């Protein structure tokens, strides 16, 4: 079952780029959060998307939101990716795809490529936006729009 608007973000844990266990309960339900699933580190569209989140990260922080990027790449891959592109937000390794399954993120391109889906949840942990598109940069614009609307 795919998460939809009005659902509560499921609890999850995963290793972050600092080698620490990230527990979603430490953030979700306390502040707005943007969780984006992407196919693979160091590919053109995924890099463009991550760098766009990086370039707009202060805007997300100003709106009180945290950004979390998730893919099934290894922790080692994430550490290199975050370092190379100076990514300031949380990157999580979902190598067993448990988080992807919990959110119900679909595969794209005839089921061959892990999907690119962004979720925005309010400070109560309720999903207020689900955006599914293989185009990377547009996710950032959509997430910022919904967060700004929440504050209005």
């Amino acid at each position: 079952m795919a998460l939809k608007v009005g659902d509560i973000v499921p609890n999850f844990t995963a290793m972050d780029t600092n080698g620490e266990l990230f527990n979603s309960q430490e953030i979700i339900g306390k502040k707005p959060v943007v969780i984006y699933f992407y196919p693979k580190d160091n590919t053109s569209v995924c890099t463009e998307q991550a760098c766009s989140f990086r370039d707009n990260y202060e805007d997300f922080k100003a709106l009180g939101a945290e950004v979390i990027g998730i893919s099934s790449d290894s922790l080692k891959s994430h550490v290199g990716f975050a370092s190379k592109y100076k990514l300031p937000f949380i990157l999580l390794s979902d190598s067993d795809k448990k988080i992807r399954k919990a959110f119900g993120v679909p595969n794209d391109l005839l089921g061959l490529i892990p999907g690119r889906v962004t979720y925005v949840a309010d400070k109560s942990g309720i999903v207020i936006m689900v955006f599914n598109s293989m185009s990377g940069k547009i996710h950032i614009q959509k997430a910022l729009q919904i967060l700004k609307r929440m504050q209005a």
Side-chain angles (χ1 to χ4, degrees), residues 4 9 14 28-29 34 39 46 49 55 59 62-63 70 89 93-95 106 114 120 126-127 139 145-146 152:
K4 56 192 179 310
V9 173
I28 295 168
V34 177
C46 294
Q49 182 180 28
D55 295 346
D59 294 335
L63 292 165
I70 302 173
F89 50 85
S93 176
D94 183 30
S95 53
V120 177
I126 297 169
V127 176
H139 289 253
Q145 282 173 356
I146 198 87

Side-chain angles (χ1 to χ4, degrees), residues 12 22 27-28 33-36 66-70 89-90 92:
F12 59 89
F22 172 86
I27 291 179
I28 295 168
V33 65
V34 177
I35 301 170
Y36 82 98
E66 186 54 70
V67 175
I68 302 170
I70 302 173
F89 50 85
I90 299 165
L92 300 177

Side-chain angles (χ1 to χ4, degrees), residues 38-40 72 97 100 105-108 111-116 134:
Y38 65 100
K40 191 150 183 56
S72 59
K97 299 179 178 67
R100 186 171 281 276
V105 177
N107 283 348
D108 286 328
L112 300 174
I113 297 174
R116 182 184 313 278
M134 285 311 276

Side-chain angles (χ1 to χ4, degrees), residues 23-42:
N23 183 335
S24 65
Q25 291 178 312
E26 292 173 12
I27 291 179
I28 295 168
K30 295 179 170 63
K31 64 163 93 175
V33 65
V34 177
I35 301 170
Y36 82 98
F37 289 85
Y38 65 100
K40 191 150 183 56
D41 292 342
N42 294 302

Side-chain angles (χ1 to χ4, degrees), residues 93-144:
S93 176
D94 183 30
S95 53
D96 57 9
K97 299 179 178 67
K98 281 185 179 174
I99 305 170
R100 186 171 281 276
K101 286 181 186 139
F103 278 71
V105 177
N107 283 348
D108 286 328
L109 230 58
L110 304 172
L112 300 174
I113 297 174
R116 182 184 313 278
V117 180
T118 297
Y119 299 85
V120 177
D122 66 14
K123 65 182 179 184
S124 302
I126 297 169
V127 176
I128 57 170
M129 184 196 89
V130 179
F131 185 69
N132 182 349
S133 170
M134 285 311 276
S135 171
K137 277 182 149 177
I138 213 162
H139 289 253
I140 292 84
Q141 297 161 2
K142 295 280 187 189
L144 281 170

